[in-house]
Amino acid sequence: MRTRARAGVVAMGAVVAAITAFTSPAPVSRDGAPTPVDHSATQRAIDAAVRAGVPGITVQTRDTHGVWRTASGVGNRETGAPRGKNDRFRVGSISDTFVATVLLQMEAEKRLSLDDSVERHLPGLVTGNGNDGRRITVRQLLNHTSGLFDYLADKEYGETYLQGDGFLRHRYDTLTPGQRLKVAFSHEPLFAPGARHSFSSTNDVLAALIVEKIAGRPYEDEVRDRIIEPLGLEATSYPGSSVRLPRPSSRGYSKLFPSQPERVDDVTEMNGSQGWGSSDLVSSARDLNRFYGALMRGKLLPPGQLKEMKTTVANPDFPGASYGLGIERFELGCGTVLWYHDGAVPGWLTLAATTEDGRHQLAFDYNADWGAETVLPLVNAEYCTEPAP
């Protein structure tokens, strides 16, 4: 529903304003009971996205009737190999929900408060040009109301690491969190802390650093021990500074050159450190569904912390949506409430969504960073299409 990646290349706000697309009635049988989901409409939406130019799409849904998996298009434009149903891919900002879950677990353990200042855990880090860690709370990092500038929106950073020849030259560079934060703090805040919501990957990096400060070890280890291993997320991992994806996987493609809209580059290889803390996680549709389903069913957080996660602020960039702690809420036109997160990095667009009861999940990935206009129809097809008689 909303993608975040390269300023000027992949939209960082709402991918479309066509909220009216969600107008189909909720699927209900004649006796008033929910009708089993008919995935044929979802398959048609997937195939339509591929016909519109997305190379390939991997999808899995889970509901009370079982698991449905599908893939459409190609995973390799050179060889024509099909997109795999079990592919692993870079999930982008979906990483946020994992980090937020860890911090909320730590809150339940009385190791921090959501109302702690960033300064308390990362003294002296957020400073300069009006940035002040004493005025920003952990909660404001997680719901993106801190006002901190998103380093991805910095023109020089984008030209160096995210666009055109800059990306191709620097895709293998190792970057530290400090390098990216320096870019962010070279700008003044967008607004005073708490004034409004505005997504910023700078918040994500700081949240991961707070996990490390409290735990005294890499944040990746905390996510692995608290979430990945207990849920059996066998396809989920952190790449570190590796540039390759674990198999099975497809190739990822990008339109790096806005002035050459027909040019497509293979961007599969990219140093994972460039997304540390904000977009470095690698996963699969199956694992994302398992994670979000467990989260909404209270398997990962006590009731109090889950309530905190689901306490939202309005998202002015996407009318009708509101953002909680590492997760977003949206009510479809058919009445279904979704909790979701999306993610975008060069070569990949991903979305994972679940109903509020955690009983109907949808996760899918495009092996391209374009085609965002086809995302809403796909979600609508899964959750709001009347089954054929």
Side-chain angles (χ1 to χ4, degrees):
M1 296 185 188
R2 187 172 73 162
T3 57
R4 311 164 181 98
R6 298 169 295 144
V9 181
V10 176
M12 296 178 65
V15 296
V16 290
I19 306 304
T20 53
F22 294 110
T23 56
S24 301
V28 177
S29 66
R30 292 182 179 179
D31 61 3
T35 302
V37 174
D38 180 358
H39 299 295
S40 61
T42 307
Q43 185 68 62
R44 289 194 296 272
I46 295 163
D47 294 339
V50 171
R51 288 196 300 273
V54 176
I57 305 175
T58 294
V59 183
Q60 190 202 76
T61 70
R62 296 174 66 95
D63 57 34
T64 56
H65 301 280
V67 175
W68 180 72
R69 298 182 302 160
T70 189
S72 184
V74 299
N76 188 315
R77 297 176 76 243
E78 288 191 8
T79 67
R83 188 77 204 265
K85 295 180 181 179
N86 299 312
D87 275 358
R88 303 180 185 192
F89 42 81
R90 305 184 197 279
V91 305
S93 296
I94 287 176
S95 305
D96 295 5
T97 318
F98 287 76
V99 175
T101 300
V102 170
L103 282 170
L104 285 163
Q105 288 178 349
M106 289 178 164
E107 188 209 30
E109 298 161 2
K110 310 298 184 185
R111 302 175 71 182
L112 83 157
S113 166
L114 293 174
D115 297 317
D116 287 346
S117 70
V118 173
E119 178 73 11
R120 176 173 180 175
H121 298 285
L122 303 173
L125 182 60
V126 182
T127 187
N129 294 307
N131 298 290
D132 189 347
R134 298 171 299 179
R135 301 179 59 207
I136 300 169
T137 66
V138 175
R139 187 191 308 274
Q140 289 167 343
L141 295 180
L142 297 182
N143 66 14
H144 293 272
T145 61
S146 71
L148 292 171
F149 184 86
D150 188 343
Y151 68 87
L152 291 176
D154 178 83
K155 185 175 184 294
E156 183 178 353
Y157 186 94
E159 292 175 349
T160 303
Y161 295 106
L162 303 171
Q163 300 171 19
D165 291 323
F167 173 88
L168 296 175
R169 284 195 301 267
H170 295 283
R171 63 196 294 187
Y172 301 113
D173 292 2
T174 297
L175 295 182
T176 66
Q179 287 174 290
R180 291 180 289 152
L181 292 176
K182 182 179 180 181
V183 172
F185 303 150
S186 70
H187 296 265
E188 295 181 355
L190 302 179
F191 47 81
R196 57 157 287 182
H197 166 90
S198 180
F199 191 90
S200 172
S201 295
T202 305
N203 296 322
D204 303 333
V205 176
L206 292 169
L209 286 171
I210 290 174
V211 169
E212 292 202 339
K213 186 64 178 291
I214 294 172
R217 62 177 187 156
Y219 95 95
E220 299 97 323
D221 292 346
E222 287 294 301
V223 174
R224 187 177 301 112
D225 289 351
R226 291 172 177 268
I227 299 174
I228 294 174
E229 291 187 358
L231 293 182
L233 307 184
E234 298 175 355
T236 302
S237 62
Y238 284 99
S241 59
S242 172
V243 302
R244 301 182 184 277
L245 284 174
R247 295 191 177 275
S249 58
S250 293
R251 310 300 294 178
Y253 298 98
S254 181
K255 295 185 178 181
L256 295 170
F257 298 84
S259 63
Q260 303 175 52
E262 300 305 314
R263 173 172 172 171
V264 174
D265 285 274
D266 185 325
V267 297
T268 310
E269 294 185 352
M270 178 181 177
N271 192 307
S273 70
Q274 296 187 18
W276 185 96
S278 62
S279 59
D280 50 344
L281 193 69
V282 173
S283 192
S284 68
R286 176 260 190 192
D287 279 10
L288 293 177
N289 281 336
R290 183 175 288 243
F291 167 63
Y292 281 98
L295 183 62
M296 285 296 110
R297 291 195 299 271
K299 303 296 184 182
L300 292 171
L301 293 174
Q305 279 65 41
L306 185 57
K307 181 179 179 181
E308 292 278 13
M309 174 175 269
K310 294 165 68 175
T311 299
T312 63
V313 295
N315 177 358
D317 300 318
F318 188 5
S322 56
Y323 202 93
L325 304 185
I327 197 167
E328 197 150 3
R329 182 187 187 276
F330 187 74
E331 183 174 350
L332 308 183
C334 62
T336 299
V337 171
L338 292 183
W339 291 91
Y340 76 97
H341 213 292
D342 55 16
V345 290
W348 312 93
L349 292 180
T350 309
L351 185 139
T354 180
T355 51
E356 193 151 22
D357 60 7
R359 301 179 71 182
H360 185 179
Q361 290 93 51
L362 165 69
F364 58 88
D365 172 76
Y366 293 9
N367 62 338
D369 52 24
W370 67 88
E373 70 282 355
T374 66
V375 168
L376 285 171
L378 200 166
V379 175
N380 187 49
E382 176 64 21
Y383 286 104
C384 291
T385 300
E386 184 80 38

